[in-house]
Amino acid sequence: MDSRGKRATLQTVADAVGVSRTTVSNAYGRPDQLNKDLRERIFEAARRLGYSGPDATARSLRRGRAGAIGLVFTETLSYAFADPYSVGFLRGVAEVAEASGTGLLLIPMPPAGGGDSETAVRNAVVDGFCLYCVPKGHPAKELIRARGLPLVTTDESDDPSIPYVGIDERASARLAGEHIARLGHRRVAVMVDHVVGPGVSGPASLDEQLASDCADLRGRLAGYRDALEEAGVDWSSVRVVAAGRNSRSASASAAAHFLDVAERPTAVLAIGDVLALGVLDACEQRGLAVGRDISVAGFDDVPEAGRARLTTVRQPMGEKGRLAGRLLLEPPEEEKVPRIKLPTELVVRATTGPAPH
Amino acid sequence: MDSRGKRATLQTVADAVGVSRTTVSNAYGRPDQLNKDLRERIFEAARRLGYSGPDATARSLRRGRAGAIGLVFTETLSYAFADPYSVGFLRGVAEVAEASGTGLLLIPMPPAGGGDSETAVRNAVVDGFCLYCVPKGHPAKELIRARGLPLVTTDESDDPSIPYVGIDERASARLAGEHIARLGHRRVAVMVDHVVGPGVSGPASLDEQLASDCADLRGRLAGYRDALEEAGVDWSSVRVVAAGRNSRSASASAAAHFLDVAERPTAVLAIGDVLALGVLDACEQRGLAVGRDISVAGFDDVPEAGRARLTTVRQPMGEKGRLAGRLLLEPPEEEKVPRIKLPTELVVRATTGPAPH
DNA sequence: GATACAGACTTAATCGATACAGAAGCGGTG
DNA sequence: CACCGCTTCTGTATCGATTAAGTCTGTATC
């Protein structure tokens, strides 16, 4: 292995063997195009020269295919991976990617980002981007569109020109809301992660709710509201509390805002299962019998929800990921922008029951 | 925006404006090299022609820098992300990557892999690879070495030519073992994830323990053994149980193998915190008072461990990731291969106490 | 004996951009 | 007028590979 001098290239090897560059290229990429013995001789020479096979970048350039898709996060990775829902989605994308030998390029763009994530987006060698949970007005979207590559989002955004795969947030949340209303609950609280900015916890005003960054959050809130108002519950009486972060423990703490007050709600709707699980923790701490004293419903149906017997709305997160991946890897021929809504389903388990009294 | 015809390139724009290709390139990459007005005119033309800025692949080729580092997993993503330790490590890598506008290319290579992960490795446009928890004999290592790019592992492997950043698994595990021995425990069980292959749960023989794929697992087992034998405990009396997967629930189930027997151990050493938490769950189910009736120690010190008041060995996972990332992004000049061992520390909390009786 | 055809390579064009050495134009100066 | 440093561009040579089309052989077919 000669590690001195210039790095070996196809040409180097070709010269050493006394054949053309093309033949060496074929030796790697199209074994059927040349004689078996010659192929061996070429590999032998390559080994001797320390040539490590065709350069991935050059190959990408020539082929016009990067062999990777970009996943842009608007949060830090630890935040993103803390939620089993994200992991499920990511796994779905990874499944289809892996099947076609494609890599997944993670690009974190946290809002606080002192780092240079714009560079990362601009230099990303990918065949397409998947934009995952973008708050309104985040620079990511523009930056990515500027790249002019295929793009898929999971947020039903205002922009109908971007392919989208997701669920009907509003109608799905409504299912949970109706379930709660049907059980006779009239004093309800809602737990969300963060309304305006991250880190801010506590009760959220109506204005704040409507100004929320994230389309999915807004959709779900609207769904809960639809159901409850239909049942005659005044939305202004519904306490909407932000946990500040999308974590079980943050939710458990924030639950104090409605659990430790005089007129405790009989039901809690959480915007996601992780938050719902936190509420369950808080109830347990206080010795409340969930399903009798108080009802709790979540959203997503992550694996842990099943174990905790949590009533929730199931959305097919793996399927969502797979679909998003497929949309990027094999963009459909059709003219019209695909906008796919996957089915959801209310899963009633043990954490919801008739309103007490 | 003219989306018809051939894709616009630097040349297209240059021709339209009537300047050289170089100048257009400079407009994007070195604004100081040309007149401000001209630069504006160039951008204007670019917009008109639908040119989306320099092509990332071509730029990478010319610059000789990919702007990404590859992270190779030997497990499925959901498995990898289920452990907060992995997430912590990943976050560390992401931090330094992000600071320099570098992306993270995830390449899953699960052993069962029907997919084409070899292609993914070969076509990965990256500046270096980080190999994360590789079982012995996994094809990944060879495949990656063949690429001839910088490489860092987190497993202290047999191959000293690969830069490495990790901890002294054996000595660290010994800390936990000694702690348990010092508390007077003589009947001890050990919980591991999987010894030989994934999915297989239940007691593991000595041979199986030594044949274990993963270097870190072997190291930790050796450390526990060192400490216990030194205290006069016969290792063959120590029940080593595999959970089959590295998950809390799998561990809770597998704990039955030593909790529901006549001579129940007074202490359990888990190879990782996630498993330890599972053991705690199992103890709780059985009404055992952890810290009194039975002691449990983990390894890693993931955030949840603190909340559960779990005695464990802290390893700096974030730091490990940052270091690995830095090693790839700015390879040190020195001749000798860096092999860094980070410090660890025993964190005694509430789940360990004197042996009963 | 002419034609077709497969096998094994080679030629030349191309992918889209960047680096580096120059060159033109400028006002000023001895 | 030759020469200076400075800014603002241009020309050309890469970066490392893939691919379509073409050139030879030699052999099978009619």
Side-chain angles (χ1 to χ4, degrees), chain A residues 10-318:
Chain A
L10 273 189
Q11 190 63 261
T12 324
V13 178
D15 293 349
V17 182
V19 295
S20 81
R21 183 161 72 235
T22 302
T23 303
V24 180
S25 173
N26 284 336
Y28 285 94
R30 306 188 177 183
D32 54 312
Q33 298 288 305
L34 41 57
N35 188 292
K36 223 176 168 184
D37 296 350
L38 177 57
R39 182 152 185 260
E40 268 318 308
R41 267 168 51 221
I42 289 178
F43 286 161
E44 160 60 26
R47 207 164 18 247
R48 212 173 51 237
L49 295 165
Y51 176 68
S52 0
D55 179 88
T57 312
R59 164 176 278 174
S60 285
L61 174 60
R62 187 58 246 247
R63 287 205 172 143
R65 216 188 139 266
I69 58 188
L71 245 105
V72 179
F73 290 82
T74 55
E75 293 290 349
T76 54
L77 289 182
S78 54
Y79 183 102
F81 295 153
D83 197 323
Y85 162 71
S86 300
V87 175
F89 173 78
L90 195 63
R91 183 176 180 182
V93 181
E95 264 173 40
V96 301
E98 199 196 317
S100 66
T102 304
L104 245 51
L105 188 68
L106 255 48
I107 308 177
M109 300 188 74
D116 198 355
S117 44
E118 300 205 356
T119 307
V121 170
R122 251 190 291 266
N123 288 347
V125 177
V126 294
D127 297 315
F129 283 101
C130 177
L131 198 42
Y132 177 77
C133 184
V134 216
K136 235 180 347 198
H138 194 282
K141 202 188 292 178
E142 273 321 300
L143 210 55
I144 292 174
R145 303 204 66 180
R147 282 287 307 266
L149 291 174
L151 171 59
V152 173
T153 71
T154 58
D155 287 308
E156 180 161 37
S157 66
D158 29 343
D159 189 337
S161 72
I162 303 178
Y164 152 84
V165 42
I167 58 173
D168 187 330
E169 305 283 357
R170 187 164 185 167
S172 307
R174 189 184 178 120
L175 294 176
E178 282 169 349
H179 170 66
I180 287 299
R182 219 165 18 232
L183 287 168
H185 296 275
R186 291 296 175 271
R187 277 209 313 281
V188 179
V190 173
M191 179 68 82
V192 302
D193 50 349
H194 52 248
V195 219
V196 274
V200 184
S201 67
S205 71
L206 185 60
D207 285 348
E208 285 171 335
Q209 294 166 32
L210 295 175
S212 158
D213 302 324
C214 275
D216 55 350
L217 175 60
R218 280 201 311 279
R220 291 185 198 175
L221 277 178
Y224 291 151
R225 184 172 178 173
D226 289 346
L228 292 175
E229 290 193 330
E230 201 175 83
V233 177
D234 183 10
W235 182 254
S236 65
S237 80
V238 173
R239 205 176 285 251
V240 176
V241 171
R245 295 177 302 127
N246 181 26
S247 89
R248 191 163 172 161
S249 57
S251 173
S253 314
H257 285 287
F258 49 72
L259 290 183
D260 303 338
V261 296
E263 290 259 289
R264 185 176 7 96
T266 65
V268 183
L269 290 163
I271 218 84
D273 281 351
V274 170
L275 297 171
L277 292 166
V279 175
L280 292 184
D281 293 345
C283 291
E284 195 188 4
Q285 278 166 28
R286 287 163 180 78
L288 293 169
V290 175
R292 295 185 58 87
D293 299 342
I294 191 168
S295 289
V296 178
F299 201 110
D300 290 340
D301 196 26
V302 303
E304 268 141 74
R307 272 174 246 140
R309 313 275 313 121
L310 176 72
T311 293
T312 189
V313 177
R314 171 177 304 154
Q315 65 163 318
M317 41 194 185

